[in-house]
Amino acid sequence: MMRFLIKWVAMCCGLAVCSSWALAATLPVLAEDNLPFSYRQDGAIRGYCTDIVRATLASAGLPYQVDIQPWARIYTTTLARPGTLMYPVARTPERENKFKWIGPLVTNRIALFRKKGRGDVVVHSLDDARRYRIGVVNMDFREEYLRRKGFAEGGDKTLMVVSSSDLLLPMLQAGRIDLVPLGLAKCAPHGLDCSQIEPVYVLSELESGLYMVFNRDTSEVLVQQVRAGFEHVRRSGRLARIMQPLQRIYGSSP
């Protein structure tokens, strides 16, 4: 009986510690520079998804600190550190069991873009794209998808892998690459100036939701607290209001 009581007290203390940590600790939140979802402007971190994450964590009553870093860094950090929140993340089969998912925040639709005026770059199918140099970000879901479809890098291969999405459009404009897979929302309000690029082929297989994710070993107490905050934001209609400028591209909000 005494042994059972000791175990029960230890378990309760463990839950209390988890709950106390979730309420008191500053939650590390990581994002990449990803217009118009998350980006740094005038010293502040902004974006459609940033606004949803902030509203969610305010509703959950959690102190937090948002930081923007290169994609590969935030991805590997989140995989390694319990209690780390990352956004926005495309939900793919390869990632399903690597994280705990909260969302979706919005639907993401991807197309291959070319430099406007490049009439020599013609894509009517994914096989057509194999003739061209395609710029992708290391460890991004678009790189994963194209590799799964048999695209590769090196020599005369088609993939050119970079560390940051900021590098892709200058490379496209300079003619170092021929195509870039971008979300159609890049051309939405507060997004990129798309006057010099145009979509040529929609990658319909890549349509997916964008989510907040936790490291898979994060305390379930913390995950449920954030999930409840997100559900409050969604049910209140605030999610739809934040995403309203994207509706012409994405349709109705989640």
Side-chain angles (χ1 to χ4, degrees), residues 223-241:
V223 175
Q224 290 302 327
Q225 190 172 356
V226 175
R227 185 167 285 130
F230 173 76
E231 285 303 312
H232 179 265
V233 171
R234 184 184 63 81
R235 288 194 304 269
S236 71
R238 190 169 181 185
L239 173 60
R241 291 193 296 274

Side-chain angles (χ1 to χ4, degrees), residues 52-66:
I52 296 171
V53 170
R54 290 190 186 280
T56 294
L57 297 179
S59 179
L62 289 168
Y64 62 92
Q65 180 67 46
V66 184

Side-chain angles (χ1 to χ4, degrees), residues 9-27 62 82-83 100 214 217-226:
V9 170
M11 181 181 71
C12 290
C13 289
L15 289 174
V17 167
C18 288
S19 180
S20 174
W21 183 92
L23 289 169
T26 298
L27 178 68
L62 289 168
K100 293 181 177 179
F214 272 109
D217 295 323
T218 298
S219 160
E220 193 61 25
V221 173
L222 176 59
V223 175
Q224 290 302 327
Q225 190 172 356
V226 175

Side-chain angles (χ1 to χ4, degrees), residues 58-247:
S59 179
L62 289 168
Y64 62 92
Q65 180 67 46
V66 184
D67 192 20
I68 284 186
Q69 300 174 12
W71 171 256
R73 185 183 303 168
I74 67 172
Y75 189 81
T76 54
T77 297
T78 305
L79 284 174
R81 295 184 184 173
T84 302
L85 182 69
M86 176 174 64
Y87 77 96
V89 182
R91 193 166 190 166
T92 65
E94 293 83 2
R95 296 174 178 174
E96 183 64 33
N97 295 324
K98 294 181 178 180
F99 302 103
K100 293 181 177 179
W101 302 83
I102 301 173
L105 313 180
V106 69
T107 301
N108 200 22
R109 292 178 183 155
I110 307 297
L112 291 172
F113 282 73
R114 68 182 178 187
K115 181 180 179 181
K116 193 165 284 187
R118 284 287 306 270
D120 58 314
V121 179
V122 180
V123 182
H124 297 299
S125 69
L126 192 59
D127 279 340
D128 289 344
R130 299 181 193 278
R131 301 197 298 263
Y132 305 106
R133 297 163 298 174
I134 304 174
V136 292
V137 177
N138 184 35
M139 299 178 72
D140 181 75
F141 73 103
R142 286 157 286 203
E143 183 208 13
E144 294 171 352
Y145 169 78
L146 291 171
R147 287 189 185 279
R148 194 165 66 246
K149 293 295 183 178
F151 289 74
E153 62 181 316
D156 60 353
K157 303 300 183 182
T158 54
L159 290 187
M160 297 189 68
V161 182
V162 300
S163 61
S164 171
S165 58
D166 292 342
L167 302 173
L168 292 175
L169 288 185
M171 291 171 66
L172 190 69
Q173 293 295 337
R176 294 175 57 197
I177 54 178
D178 306 307
L179 294 166
V180 174
L182 296 175
L184 292 174
K186 290 292 185 185
C187 303
H190 310 295
L192 298 172
D193 176 4
C194 292
S195 60
Q196 300 302 312
I197 61 175
E198 57 189 355
V200 293
Y201 182 71
V202 174
L203 299 170
S204 57
E205 288 185 305
L206 277 182
E207 181 169 327
S208 65
L210 295 181
Y211 288 71
M212 295 177 266
V213 300
F214 272 109
N215 173 289
R216 63 178 297 175
D217 295 323
T218 298
S219 160
E220 193 61 25
V221 173
L222 176 59
V223 175
Q224 290 302 327
Q225 190 172 356
V226 175
R227 185 167 285 130
F230 173 76
E231 285 303 312
H232 179 265
V233 171
R234 184 184 63 81
R235 288 194 304 269
S236 71
R238 190 169 181 185
L239 173 60
R241 291 193 296 274
I242 290 172
M243 288 300 180
Q244 193 277 332
L246 300 183
Q247 286 188 4

